[in-house]
């Protein structure tokens, strides 16, 4: 496991780039980029709709117009879902990397995706559910229970929840729950048919009602995470140092884990398991802003949202008019980029 | 003179005495291990045949026929048949083949057998408990004399061959489902029965065609509703081509000239230019997705929709007759 620490002597240009005014400016620029990405998400899709009609649909909605309906009932909710889910995944990934001091850390370590998948698959198998809002309920329950179990197991013994114990507990439970999920899917054709789209991760077909159900969890998780920025930065220096600086590490870790569950659990409940954002985005952000989690977390939210919105647009356009699940697209974009990033860091 | 006492003392090649396993030197550990092993073997043996041995197929004459993989020797008049999928099960039952086992249930909520099969047709048929790959031990215990296979995977066929002769045919064949059905019938001398079934399907299709399309043929599409609001169409389904070619529907514009699975993204659903849309539901049917889609303001209002079961799209004559009944009920 590698401890994430700053380079001892950053160059002058880097120091300027990471100065407070520049970082604030960067956040503003990111917000602008996000707005552009959202506009492209609303403007482009399987159906050809010209720009004036898109604008009319936003400012002078006509419920009789099919094109306006497409914009308002499909594309706007989809863009909003992508923003919130992307932000949640980015922040939860950053929190996990900080919490476990593991550069490969993401919410998968707490078994969030696996628990959510088992929750949905079990509910489809035993209860025959098929609506996305019920999927969300069971996904969140599965994610929360699994995360609690991993955290509980990882906290046993002396020293409380150490990165190593959390990682081992997460890997063990993930393997166990994955085998349950696979078993049900193999034995049950109907369940496989019903959840295979959900398992790929997608923001398509999610309406505002679904988003509103999950929004409180996501927003509370975001606020909690952003409030913990300073404490997470200290924890990345090591538990002993953090305790030496007077930090109550148990509380910080517990609250961070709670934020991760709210964020990643809410995200997976709405959109299914979407990979790579929680892994890649914090690395990009750390390259841009350094090791201070007071900046890493908001930047991760912003870049996570931008990345997911752009990936979703690409998923709609790359095989147009067929749409790919956005989870496939994030892996297609994120995988090679991550390899590049690793090679670049090794070279440096 | 006392007779010599012969005592066998085994040694290895170097002459060192070997530790021999005799009653005298049984230790407690050896006893426990040995007894445990025997008990385990007995338990396994007891689990092997819960219902006693299955009836055997008995002696029979054979014939050599050609299937998808070449020449195979099958019983001329099979007595215990396993069909590995519901489509071949329906075809075999239509041809009065003595089916004793069928595929496992595809999932909770599905009926054990396709709905178009009546209870008396399926009496005595065992549904195996593993899907899609049958449990070979269960199969072996059934004493089969024929396996009718519609899964064209050579390794899979090889694994079944050790249990009974396997006849593999192309149920979704490029030549149409009728060809596959006739192939099965001809192989087991049931050509006349097949001809009767196909004639009844033809007659029903012609009658439906005459009553449905008084003027211009109605265009139609057949597919699934997905949870993300998109629709999926499978033009390769025999039911699709049957309704196009035999009942005289016209193909919906968006599907013309397209092959393979077709996805209609949620925002293209309003452009679906079909007069009739048939949703394929699992049995007993979960209408939530379908109802949500139809209730959406984007659903084209001029499209007549109704649900058919997935079993009604199997390439088997009873399935098509059921499908035609559903079409007639919905549209007339």
């Amino acid at each position: 496991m590698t401890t994430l620490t700053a380079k001892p002597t950053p160059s002058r240009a880097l120091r300027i780039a990471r100065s407070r005014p520049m970082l604030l400016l960067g956040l503003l620029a990111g917000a602008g980029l996000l707005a552009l990405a959202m506009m492209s998400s609303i403007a482009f899709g399987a159906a050809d709709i010209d720009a004036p009609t898109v604008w009319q649909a936003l400012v002078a909605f006509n419920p009789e117009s099919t094109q306006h309906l497409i914009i308002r009932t499909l594309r706007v909710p989809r863009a909003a879902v992508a923003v919130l889910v992307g932000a949640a995944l980015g922040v939860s990934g950053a929190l996990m990397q900080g919490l476990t001091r593991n550069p490969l850390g993401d919410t998968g370590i707490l078994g969030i995706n696996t628990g959510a998948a088992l929750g949905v698959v079990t509910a489809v198998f035993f209860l025959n559910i098929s609506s996305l809002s019920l999927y969300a309920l069971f996904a969140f329950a599965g994610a929360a229970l699994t995360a609690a179990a991993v955290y509980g197991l990882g906290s046993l013994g002396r020293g409380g929840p150490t990165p190593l114990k959390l990682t081992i507990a997460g890997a063990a439970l993930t393997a166990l729950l994955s085998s349950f999920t696979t078993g049900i899917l193999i034995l049950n054709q109907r369940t496989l048919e019903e959840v295979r789209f959900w398992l790929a991760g997608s923001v398509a077909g999610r309406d505002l009602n679904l988003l509103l159900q999950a929004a409180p969890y996501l927003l509370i998780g975001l606020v909690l995470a952003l409030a913990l920025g300073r404490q997470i930065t200290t924890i990345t220096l090591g538990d002993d140092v953090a305790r030496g600086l007077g930090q109550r590490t148990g509380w910080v870790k517990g609250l961070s884990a709670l934020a991760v569950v709210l964020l990643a659990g809410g995200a997976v409940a709405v959109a299914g398991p979407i990979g790579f954002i929680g892994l890649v985005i914090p690395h990009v952000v750390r390259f841009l802003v350094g090791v201070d989690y007071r900046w890493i977390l908001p930047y991760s939210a912003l870049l996570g949202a931008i990345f997911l919105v752009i990936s979703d647009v690409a998923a709609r356009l790359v095989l147009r008019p067929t749409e790919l699940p956005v989870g496939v697209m994030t892996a297609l974009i994120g995988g090679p980029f991550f390899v590049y990033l690793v090679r670049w860091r090794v070279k440096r | 003179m006392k007779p010599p006492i012969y005592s066998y003392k085994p040694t290895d090649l170097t002459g060192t005495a070997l530790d021999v396993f005799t009653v005298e030197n049984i230790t407690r550990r050896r006893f426990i291990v040995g007894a445990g092993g025997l008990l385990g073997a007995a338990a396994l043996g007891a689990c092997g045949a819960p219902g006693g041995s299955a009836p055997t197929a008995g002696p029979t004459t054979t014939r050599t026929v050609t299937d998808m993989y070449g020449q195979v020797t099958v019983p001329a008049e099979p007595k215990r048949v396993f069909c590995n999928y519901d489509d071949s099960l329906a075809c075999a039952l239509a041809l009065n083949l003595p089916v004793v086992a069928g595929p496992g249930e595809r999932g909770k909520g599905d009926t054990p057998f396709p709905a178009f099969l009546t209870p008396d047709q399926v009496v005595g048929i065992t549904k195996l408990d593993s899907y899609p790959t049958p449990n070979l031990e269960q199969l072996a215990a059934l004493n089969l004399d024929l396996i009718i296979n519609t899964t064209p995977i050579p390794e899979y066929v090889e694994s079944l061959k050790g249990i009974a002769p396997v006849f593999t045919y192309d149920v979704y064949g490029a030549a149409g489902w009728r060809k596959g059905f006739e192939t099965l019938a001809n192989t087991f001398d049931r050509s006349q029965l097949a001809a009767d079934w196909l004639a009844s399907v033809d007659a029903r299709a012609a009658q439906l065609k005459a009553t449905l399309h008084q003027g211009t043929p109605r265009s139609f599409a057949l597919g699934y509703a997905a949870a993300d609001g998109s629709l999926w169409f499978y033009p390769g389904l025999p039911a699709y081509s049957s309704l196009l070619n035999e009942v005289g529907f016209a193909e919906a514009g968006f599907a013309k000239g397209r092959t393979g699975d077709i996805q209609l993204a949620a925002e293209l659903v309003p452009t679906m230019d079909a007069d009739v849309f048939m949703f394929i539901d699992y049995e007993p049917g979960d209408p939530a997705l379908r109802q949500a889609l139809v209730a959406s303001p984007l659903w084209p209002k001029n499209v007549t929709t109704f649900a058919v079961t997935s079993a009604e799209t199997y390439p088997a004559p009873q399935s098509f007759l059921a499908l035609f009944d559903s079409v007639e009920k919905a549209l007339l």
Side-chain angles (χ1 to χ4, degrees):
Chain A
M1 231 161 275
T2 309
T3 303
L4 302 172
T5 52
K7 291 201 173 296
T9 51
S11 68
R12 185 164 181 270
L14 208 55
R15 281 205 304 275
I16 292 172
R18 290 174 181 173
S19 64
R20 189 182 173 84
M22 291 303 284
L23 289 173
L24 280 172
L25 209 58
L27 277 181
L28 279 177
L33 265 177
L34 179 60
L36 275 178
M38 285 185 74
M39 282 309 296
S40 67
S41 175
I42 292 169
F44 300 115
D48 272 327
I49 302 176
D50 57 35
T53 309
V54 173
W55 182 248
Q56 283 295 313
L58 294 176
V59 296
F61 176 61
N62 173 12
E64 300 300 316
S65 162
T66 300
Q67 292 184 321
H68 284 202
L69 281 169
I70 289 173
I71 297 292
R72 292 289 282 260
T73 62
L74 294 176
R75 291 191 188 173
V76 169
R78 188 171 179 162
V81 167
V83 168
L84 260 185
V85 168
L89 291 174
V91 171
S92 56
L95 274 179
M96 282 306 296
Q97 289 181 10
L99 198 62
T100 60
R101 300 199 293 279
N102 179 353
L104 291 177
D106 73 352
T107 53
I109 285 184
L110 282 183
I112 300 263
N113 288 351
T114 318
L118 182 61
V120 169
V121 165
T122 306
V124 172
F125 180 58
F126 287 109
L127 305 174
N128 284 341
I129 66 161
S130 62
S131 82
L132 281 173
S133 56
L134 286 173
Y135 281 10
L137 188 68
F138 285 97
F140 190 81
L145 285 173
T146 311
V150 170
Y151 197 80
L153 282 173
S155 304
L156 292 176
R158 275 192 298 175
T162 64
L164 183 63
K165 283 196 286 181
L166 278 178
T167 306
I168 292 171
L173 263 188
T174 297
L176 179 70
L177 300 186
S178 294
S179 65
F180 289 155
T181 304
T182 308
I184 293 175
L185 291 179
I186 283 177
L187 291 176
N188 191 282
Q189 175 88 353
R190 174 197 172 98
T191 307
L192 176 63
E193 291 287 342
E194 293 209 0
V195 303
R196 64 191 172 115
F197 290 103
W198 185 87
L199 285 173
S202 174
V203 290
R206 275 68 176 169
D207 60 15
L208 284 177
N209 287 331
L210 182 64
L211 185 63
L212 288 175
Q213 283 177 30
Y217 304 105
L218 295 172
L219 293 175
I220 291 171
L222 276 173
V223 170
L224 185 59
L226 294 176
L228 287 168
R230 182 191 299 272
Q231 286 79 2
I232 298 288
T233 307
T234 311
I235 275 203
T236 58
L237 301 173
D239 283 6
D240 292 340
V241 176
R243 272 194 291 270
L245 292 171
Q247 189 173 96
R248 299 165 74 181
T249 54
W251 273 99
V252 174
K253 287 177 181 176
L255 287 174
S256 302
L258 177 64
V260 169
V261 170
L262 291 172
L263 289 167
V268 76
V270 174
I274 295 177
F276 272 99
I277 293 181
L279 184 65
V280 173
I281 292 298
H283 283 276
V284 177
V285 168
R286 217 172 280 116
F287 165 70
L288 292 174
V289 306
V291 294
D292 188 344
Y293 272 78
R294 288 173 303 173
W295 293 106
I296 287 176
L297 293 171
Y299 267 87
S300 292
L302 209 50
L303 290 198
I306 293 169
F307 183 60
L308 189 58
V309 173
I310 290 175
S311 296
D312 184 45
V313 174
R316 280 181 262 173
L317 299 182
V318 73
L319 290 178
R320 202 175 177 211
T322 299
E323 291 184 0
L324 282 175
V326 72
V328 175
M329 191 51 68
T330 55
L332 280 176
I333 299 173
F337 182 75
F338 192 62
V339 171
Y340 168 78
L341 196 73
V342 170
R343 284 177 58 85
W344 181 81
R345 286 186 67 150
V346 167
K347 277 182 185 171
R348 287 189 69 197
Chain B
M1 186 177 170
K2 288 172 88 176
I5 299 170
Y6 289 99
S7 165
Y8 174 63
K9 298 273 186 195
T11 57
D12 66 11
L13 291 175
T14 63
T16 309
L18 291 172
D19 181 22
V20 185
F21 186 72
T22 61
V23 175
E24 288 87 348
N25 59 10
I26 288 179
T27 62
R28 185 183 296 165
R29 176 182 291 180
R30 278 177 168 168
F31 174 76
I32 291 171
V33 169
L38 283 172
L39 277 175
L44 283 174
C47 294
S53 58
T56 54
T60 182
T61 55
T62 58
R63 69 177 66 177
T64 301
V65 295
T66 304
D67 78 346
M68 281 180 74
Y69 294 103
Q71 293 204 315
V72 290
T73 301
V74 296
E77 199 54 49
K79 294 183 175 60
R80 297 184 62 79
V81 179
F82 165 66
C83 300
N84 73 335
Y85 200 78
D86 278 332
D87 47 26
S88 55
L89 173 72
C91 288
L93 289 176
L95 296 171
N96 287 338
L97 285 166
V99 180
V100 296
E105 294 175 35
R106 298 176 71 190
K108 190 178 172 63
D110 294 349
T111 54
F113 293 97
F116 52 76
L117 298 175
T118 58
D120 59 309
Q121 284 179 294
V122 296
V123 168
I125 298 180
T126 304
K127 289 292 252 185
L128 300 189
D129 60 7
S130 61
Y131 176 89
T133 310
N135 183 324
L136 296 182
E137 286 191 24
Q138 270 187 318
L139 277 185
L142 287 168
N143 289 322
L144 304 168
D145 64 354
L146 177 67
I147 293 173
I148 297 177
N149 170 47
T150 53
T151 306
I153 301 172
E155 295 80 6
Y156 175 69
V157 175
E158 282 303 315
S159 69
L160 294 178
K161 273 183 183 170
I163 293 167
V166 182
F167 178 78
T168 304
Y169 77 102
D170 190 359
V171 72
Y172 288 97
W177 71 274
R178 289 158 181 272
K179 184 68 183 165
F181 183 58
E182 285 171 340
T183 302
L184 184 65
N186 295 340
T187 304
F188 298 101
D189 277 344
R190 284 159 166 84
S191 309
Q192 188 53 51
L193 199 50
D196 293 345
W197 271 110
L198 294 179
S200 65
V201 171
D202 286 341
R204 185 79 180 88
Q207 181 217 348
L208 195 57
K209 185 177 181 178
T211 51
L212 273 183
H213 312 295
Q214 303 296 338
T216 312
R218 301 190 217 192
S219 62
F220 95 107
L222 174 71
Y224 291 88
D228 64 1
S230 64
L231 291 172
W232 285 84
F233 306 93
Y234 303 102
L237 280 179
Y240 219 123
S241 55
S242 176
L243 287 164
L244 279 178
N245 302 327
E246 294 163 30
V247 183
F249 279 103
E251 189 161 25
F254 73 87
K256 270 183 188 157
R258 295 177 70 179
T259 54
D261 300 353
I262 300 173
Q263 184 206 36
L264 200 62
E267 53 185 68
L268 290 181
V269 167
T271 67
M272 186 176 63
D273 49 358
D275 301 325
V276 180
F277 181 79
M278 282 177 280
F279 289 96
I280 301 174
D281 271 3
Y282 280 103
E283 294 178 89
D286 184 352
L289 293 176
R290 179 163 42 87
Q291 287 170 349
L293 200 62
V294 174
S296 156
L298 287 169
W299 184 258
K301 298 289 178 262
N302 55 345
V303 179
T304 304
T305 59
F306 64 98
V308 294
T309 65
S310 57
E312 285 174 291
T313 61
Y314 290 155
Q318 310 99 307
S319 176
F320 283 100
L321 291 174
L323 176 66
F324 296 159
D325 285 346
S326 294
V327 171
E328 184 174 57
K329 191 176 165 191
L331 297 182
L332 290 179

